[in-house]
Amino acid sequence: METKSWKAIKDDVYGQVGSERRDELERDAESFKIGLLLKKAREEKHLTQLELAELVSKKREYISRIENNGSNLTLKTLFDIVEKGLGGKVRISIEL
């Protein structure tokens, strides 16, 4: 049995880097990572989802959805959660 790298598996299943399906996979993975980072930061601040939601005028369920998949998160909400809710700063980089 041949062992394949994770990159080779992604190439086979989702297409080469730059293809529409592969780009969608990469965006979804980045969204998921943002959710995990926000959850970790919230837990480090010893806040519940409800407490964080109240700090940023959102519902607890919305915070839960963001932490679980990070999708449909606007930049404004990201800044609000990080700055108002968690007392941190957001840094964004763009690769071309």
Side-chain angles (χ1 to χ4, degrees):
M1 181 172 165
E2 181 185 336
T3 303
K4 286 187 171 185
S5 70
W6 176 238
K7 182 189 177 314
I9 293 169
K10 289 192 298 186
D11 287 348
D12 289 347
V13 176
Y14 294 98
Q16 298 293 316
V17 172
S19 69
E20 187 176 333
R21 189 161 183 220
R22 180 66 172 268
D23 288 349
E24 184 178 338
L25 171 72
E26 300 299 336
R27 280 190 301 273
D28 289 347
E30 289 301 313
S31 293
F32 183 74
K33 283 195 267 186
I34 290 170
L36 290 177
L37 289 170
L38 291 173
K39 180 178 181 177
K40 182 179 180 212
R42 176 184 58 77
E43 289 173 342
E44 287 175 358
K45 292 286 187 172
H46 305 288
L47 292 170
T48 66
Q49 288 179 343
L50 180 59
E51 290 168 333
L52 178 57
E54 289 172 349
L55 288 170
V56 296
S57 302
K58 299 288 181 190
K59 293 185 177 184
R60 186 207 59 82
E61 293 81 6
Y62 182 70
I63 299 298
S64 176
R65 277 197 313 274
I66 289 170
E67 289 182 356
N68 287 315
N69 67 19
S71 64
N72 295 324
L73 176 63
T74 66
L75 285 175
K76 180 189 180 321
T77 301
L78 176 62
F79 278 90
D80 284 350
I81 289 171
V82 173
E83 294 176 354
K84 292 179 185 175
L86 300 171
K89 289 285 181 197
V90 175
R91 278 190 267 165
I92 297 173
S93 89
I94 296 174
E95 295 178 21
L96 300 175

